[in-house]
Amino acid sequence: MTTARELGFVTCTACAKVWPGGTPRCECCGHRLQSRHPNNLQVVWAFWLTGLLCYIPANMYPMLVTSTLVGTDSSTIIGGAVAIAQHGDLAIAAIVLIASVVIPVAKFIAIAHLALSVKRGSRQSEHGRQHLYEVVEFIGRWSMIDVFVVAILSALVQLSVVASIHPGPAALTFALSVVFTMLAARSFDTRLIWDSIGPESSET
Amino acid sequence: MAHDVRDTGVDPSVLIGCPGCDAVYVARSPSEGEKAVCSRCSTVLITNRKGAGVRILALSVAILVLVVAATFHPFLSINAAGLGNRVSLLDVAFSFGSGFLVLVSLATVMLIVLVPLMRVVLLIYVIAPIEFGLRPARHSRGAFRLAQELKPWAMTEIFSIGCAVALVKVAGIARLEFGPAFWMFAALSVIVVISDRYLCSWSIWRALEAGQ
């Protein structure tokens, strides 16, 4: 196995074309070429931290404000899921909990683990970590479910005094948190995972 | 696929680099129906499916029509205690009416309507000339790169799951009915997934390069 870096080349991560090292931009697709970005992990951590900071208010403030004849009720993400569960729809409550709590929290842990493993090494194999990264990238977008649910409900449920639903401030911070964790995952350069093993041990 | 690079006298223009782990190979298109996979990190590098270009074009046109139609047709309707309301996708997207929550409504419009729309328009613009044997259209490269960058931000299929959840959430207080746009959206989600499976970015880049 040979890597572009060992040959003094640089690979374009957008179109997979290989150029002599030092070429500033890919002549095929115009993407900026960088064998390894020197501050890659700092960028990842910056997005990660911003995402985490947005996720805290997202769980404390109400996501949905429901006004009915009997009064006004505002529910947080977890509160909303509990209400659905008490209603008997355990499957839907599980979808909401998985999309809005399990996936985001698991993503924070996974991205932190990947970023730390580049510096400190990890007992998990390179293959395992590459796979973890792919899962994180694939699944991250699905957290948007709850934001879309709030959008649908607040447009639809406008029945004068009988029932109306409005979004709470958590809708914004939660959406931002999803966007920032997606950016954190996308800015992570997976080549760093493989660099840590060096060319000798990668020979198969 | 896994030719050792050191045998070739190392001319970078014949190489393909793995975006996942930086391994390099001599680029060779796999036989039809096969995939070229990085032997180090298993990232799919090249796929070769019969008639991929034509299929992507056809599916993109279908997506274009469906997104536009789904945006304006009634999406869901609700009935409770003699009161009713029906909304289109556009109403849904603009539902976060007040104050800073406008940002969320902007993001929703982007993610479920504008980004998927832009993406298929860009793909048609790039792939159509290649498929019909013409010179690539102007700025094809920038257009294709933008289309690829937009991919994770097109969230049609996620929105359709959101609808299912919303349905259950209001089941207690009102009766919900699906409008035509809902079914268009359901179809859309499936077509988007199929279309993306056919898209081989390496093949398109090489075609754009050859056409210059």
Side-chain angles (χ1 to χ4, degrees), chain A residues 8-196:
Chain A
F9 294 152
V10 53
T11 302
C12 174
T13 48
C15 73
K17 198 108 176 102
V18 179
W19 301 99
T23 312
R25 266 178 199 282
C26 176
E27 283 164 36
C28 171
C29 72
H31 192 70
R32 264 183 69 186
L33 294 175
Q34 207 135 29
S35 187
R36 302 294 181 273
H37 197 293
N39 297 326
N40 182 264
L41 290 180
Q42 283 179 37
V43 176
V44 174
W45 282 118
F47 282 131
W48 184 89
L49 196 66
T50 317
L52 188 66
L53 287 177
C54 294
Y55 189 64
I56 297 166
N59 275 287
M60 292 168 62
Y61 288 97
M63 190 87 171
L64 267 186
V65 182
T66 313
S67 318
T68 56
L69 289 171
V70 287
T72 303
D73 173 51
S74 50
S75 63
T76 56
I77 291 173
I78 295 177
V82 170
I84 298 176
Q86 283 169 346
H87 225 262
D89 293 303
L90 288 176
I92 297 289
I95 291 180
V96 174
L97 272 183
I98 290 171
S100 327
V101 181
V102 178
I103 292 180
V105 171
K107 255 184 83 170
F108 284 123
I109 296 171
I111 297 171
H113 162 71
L114 288 173
L116 288 175
S117 78
V118 168
K119 278 264 160 67
R120 298 187 189 170
S122 163
R123 267 181 294 173
Q124 195 185 6
S125 70
E126 288 72 32
H127 233 96
R129 281 183 275 158
Q130 176 79 23
H131 199 72
L132 178 67
Y133 176 81
E134 279 157 18
V135 172
V136 164
E137 256 226 306
F138 175 79
I139 219 166
R141 323 150 62 227
W142 287 92
S143 299
M144 273 298 191
I145 286 181
D146 224 25
V147 176
F148 292 154
V149 171
V150 173
I152 296 164
L153 291 181
S154 17
L156 191 63
V157 185
Q158 298 297 337
L159 303 168
S160 67
V161 290
V162 178
S164 67
I165 291 182
H166 298 283
L172 178 67
T173 50
F174 187 76
L176 285 175
S177 147
V178 177
V179 168
F180 281 118
T181 45
M182 281 175 72
L183 289 172
R186 285 178 63 71
S187 54
F188 180 72
D189 187 345
T190 51
R191 294 178 296 189
L192 296 172
I193 297 176
W194 297 89
D195 285 347
S196 57

Side-chain angles (χ1 to χ4, degrees), chain B residues 3 30 38 45 51 63 66 79 91 100 126 140 159 162 171-172 185:
Chain B
H3 286 231
C38 174
L45 300 173
I63 294 170
L66 282 173
N79 278 292
D91 300 322
F100 64 96
V126 172
S140 274
F159 187 72
F185 227 77

Side-chain angles (χ1 to χ4, degrees), chain A residues 1-7 9-20 25 27-32 35-36 64 66 68 80 84 87 89 92 95-96 127 130 134 141-142 144-163 165 167-169 171-172 175 179 182-183 186 189-191 194-195 197-199 202-204, chain B residues 4-6 10-25 38-43 75-81 83-87 91-93 95-97 100-101 103-104 107-108 111-112 141-142 145 148-149 151-159 161-174 176 201-202 205-206 209:
Chain A
M1 190 64 50
T2 320
T3 66
R5 187 161 72 166
E6 287 162 39
L7 296 171
F9 294 152
V10 53
T11 302
C12 174
T13 48
C15 73
K17 198 108 176 102
V18 179
W19 301 99
R25 266 178 199 282
E27 283 164 36
C28 171
C29 72
H31 192 70
R32 264 183 69 186
S35 187
R36 302 294 181 273
L64 267 186
T66 313
T68 56
I84 298 176
H87 225 262
D89 293 303
I92 297 289
I95 291 180
V96 174
H127 233 96
Q130 176 79 23
E134 279 157 18
R141 323 150 62 227
W142 287 92
M144 273 298 191
I145 286 181
D146 224 25
V147 176
F148 292 154
V149 171
V150 173
I152 296 164
L153 291 181
S154 17
L156 191 63
V157 185
Q158 298 297 337
L159 303 168
S160 67
V161 290
V162 178
I165 291 182
L172 178 67
V179 168
M182 281 175 72
L183 289 172
R186 285 178 63 71
D189 187 345
T190 51
R191 294 178 296 189
W194 297 89
D195 285 347
I197 51 174
S202 70
E203 215 78 48
T204 40
Chain B
D4 200 301
V5 172
R6 280 164 283 205
V10 199
D11 167 18
S13 65
V14 300
L15 300 179
I16 176 171
C18 173
C21 71
D22 211 30
V24 277
Y25 305 93
C38 174
S39 61
R40 193 187 193 199
C41 73
S42 308
T43 299
F75 191 75
L76 288 165
S77 61
I78 185 172
N79 278 292
L83 292 162
N85 189 19
R86 60 170 26 188
V87 289
D91 300 322
V92 173
S95 60
F96 294 86
F100 64 96
L101 290 172
L103 288 174
V104 186
T108 310
L111 298 176
I112 61 179
R141 295 163 179 225
R145 201 151 70 85
Q148 291 298 78
E149 292 279 328
K151 194 171 164 182
W153 305 99
M155 300 196 182
T156 40
E157 69 276 30
I158 297 162
F159 187 72
I161 303 289
C163 294
V165 175
L167 192 77
V168 173
K169 275 205 173 183
V170 292
I173 53 169
L176 267 188
S201 112
W202 186 83
W205 282 120
R206 295 301 79 81
E209 216 176 21

Side-chain angles (χ1 to χ4, degrees), chain B residues 1 3 14 18 30-31 34 41 43 49 72 80 102 112 117 124 146 174 180 190 194 201 203:
Chain B
M1 184 65 209
H3 286 231
V14 300
C18 173
S31 46
E34 304 272 300
C41 73
T43 299
R49 288 180 172 232
F72 298 102
V102 169
I112 61 179
L117 207 59
I124 294 171
L146 183 60
V190 178
I194 298 173
S201 112
S203 310

